[in-house]
Amino acid sequence: MTGAYVAAAEAAPVLAAGRAELARLLGVPAAGLAFVPNAEEALDALLVAWPFSEGDTVAVLRSEWGPNLHAFGARGLRVTEIATADDGAVDLVGLESMLAGAPPALVHLTQVASHRPLVQPVAAAAALCRAAGVPLWVDAAQALGHVDTACGADAIYSTSRKWLTGPRGVGLIGVTERWWSQLSISASPLMANARPADSSPLWLLEAGEANVAAWIGLCTAVQEYVQAGPPRIWQRLAEVGQQTRQALADVPGWTIAAPAAPAAPTFGRIPRLPAPGTRLPAASVAAATPAPATPARATPAPATPARATPARATPARAPTSPSAASAESSASAITALRATNGQDITATRTRLLEEYGIVTTAAVVARAPRDMTEPLLRISPHVDCTPEDLAHLRAALIALA
């Protein structure tokens, strides 16, 4: 029987390859990447390790993820809002003005919103922050595997289980090299003395017990993702998001929250609605917490993906047009529906799953308390979503409305 330490050692090549690919996807050095249990713990670790001072301010957008706002407050940071365009995308002119006039200690952006189709122009924001000497952190929990995440952020963190369709129980942090010497990560003398000479301080976050099996699962998922070709997946997800919003645009009893793209071509006749209780094949209309079945992977022929420019490269000057920023939201596969007939969002989510085999998310206001005023029904289709899947969803929503 092989013991856990031997098994982990045997998996070292898989872990090293996965770490290198993830670092490239996030735009950080491989030594600056650490595996952690989840995205929430990633943010907590950053907040503890970063050199903040009492009374420091973090600048966010109104669409900021609710638990992140709680974490900032728990760390003693004051929160201020960055100006946005009408659709919630960062106003780059406003950000540049803030950085020049009253710069915060930190800018934090959630690249892809969890509750509606909204993608932030993080690369442009990173260029502005770097020019002003203000660090940028990016929450890429909904972005990694969904859009291009190699943006030049000073710190970036994510999870495995969403658009990469990796296992639960593992997340990751990436920090650029220029901040390594300023990080303060607590460790016992035993662990501190065991740290390899060529490692970053983030090595200490992995020094204790860990779910190595989940690390291997994440590295396997990212290998499949890279083989499929990230730019092709990003394009496909953008198409699926547009098709979803077009298919659901005129469903009675529902309206789309913050449309993010022009309508895609129609799909023709809607098939007959299955009888209540009929379960569809494994739902392509997936939620952030997918059904236990392993999601289908994208199956295009392997292609060499375009590599992102490393974070240490000098970024191009950021565009300052709010409309240019807003255009990025068309890349989101996420669609959010607002009930117009008084439907209970949680009950609708339950019935869609139990009666029609369709997985959605009941997005409560606490997900984005500065942006949301009511619950929304979130649809998160993946690359394998078909017109038939969307037709079934449309018909089910009509029946339940």
Side-chain angles (χ1 to χ4, degrees):
M1 179 179 294
T2 300
Y5 290 103
V6 174
E10 291 176 347
V14 174
L15 294 173
R19 185 186 301 273
E21 292 292 359
L22 285 163
R24 280 191 282 270
L25 290 169
L26 297 177
V28 298
L33 186 138
F35 295 127
V36 291
N38 52 58
E40 183 177 353
E41 292 197 28
L43 176 59
D44 288 343
L46 281 171
L47 288 169
V48 170
W50 208 263
F52 290 117
S53 300
E54 185 176 354
D56 275 348
T57 297
V58 54
V60 304
L61 300 173
R62 71 171 190 262
S63 57
E64 183 60 73
W65 176 241
N68 291 349
L69 295 172
H70 174 79
F72 298 145
R75 180 63 173 82
L77 297 175
R78 295 183 298 137
V79 176
T80 187
E81 282 193 21
I82 307 167
T84 63
D86 290 342
D87 70 349
V90 60
D91 180 343
L92 295 171
V93 175
L95 174 60
E96 188 170 33
S97 177
M98 170 186 281
L99 294 171
L106 169 70
V107 172
H108 183 280
L109 299 179
T110 297
Q111 185 173 1
V112 176
S114 169
H115 61 291
R116 63 185 179 100
L118 179 59
V119 182
Q120 299 297 340
V122 288
L128 293 176
C129 289
R130 180 160 299 185
V134 174
L136 170 68
W137 294 5
V138 170
D139 178 342
Q142 288 285 350
L144 183 59
H146 189 169
V147 297
D148 188 359
T149 48
C151 59
D154 296 281
I156 185 167
Y157 60 97
S158 187
T159 186
S160 160
R161 66 181 175 84
K162 297 185 184 292
W163 298 93
L164 282 180
T165 62
R168 300 194 70 170
V170 57
L172 55 154
I173 305 173
V175 178
T176 55
E177 187 171 358
R178 69 194 187 100
W179 287 99
W180 293 353
S181 64
Q182 299 186 56
L183 298 178
S184 177
I185 298 177
S186 177
S188 69
L190 177 65
M191 291 295 100
N193 292 333
R195 177 184 157 190
D198 61 349
S199 68
S200 81
L202 281 85
W203 181 89
L204 295 169
L205 296 177
E206 299 182 354
E209 285 298 314
N211 186 352
V212 178
W215 294 6
I216 295 170
L218 168 56
C219 290
T220 301
V222 79
Q223 179 186 39
E224 295 180 6
Y225 174 74
V226 169
Q227 288 175 345
R232 300 169 70 182
I233 294 177
W234 305 334
Q235 180 180 357
R236 173 59 185 156
L237 289 172
E239 292 171 352
V240 168
Q242 293 172 21
Q243 291 167 356
T244 303
R245 290 184 281 276
Q246 189 277 333
L248 304 180
D250 60 349
V251 173
W254 300 92
T255 185
I256 294 176
T266 59
F267 298 116
R269 186 178 62 85
I270 299 299
R272 184 184 301 274
L273 177 67
T278 302
R279 299 189 67 83
L280 303 180
S284 298
V285 185
T289 50
T294 302
R297 302 287 189 191
T299 55
T304 302
R307 296 298 184 195
T309 303
R312 283 173 285 180
T314 301
R317 173 68 174 172
T320 54
S321 165
S323 61
S326 303
E328 295 214 10
S329 290
S330 64
S332 178
I334 292 171
T335 293
L337 298 179
R338 178 177 291 109
T340 59
N341 284 348
Q343 305 97 305
D344 183 292
I345 297 294
T346 300
T348 299
R349 186 262 179 196
T350 300
R351 292 189 63 189
L352 283 170
L353 178 60
E354 293 182 351
E355 298 178 25
Y356 302 102
I358 299 173
V359 181
T360 58
T361 298
V364 298
V365 172
R367 282 177 172 261
R370 291 173 175 245
D371 192 49
M372 298 177 66
T373 59
E374 60 184 320
L376 300 171
L377 184 69
R378 193 189 71 189
I379 319 297
S380 302
H382 217 305
V383 291
D384 56 345
C385 183
T386 66
E388 291 74 23
D389 292 325
L390 295 177
H392 281 305
L393 173 60
R394 174 187 169 90
L397 287 169
I398 290 173
L400 295 180

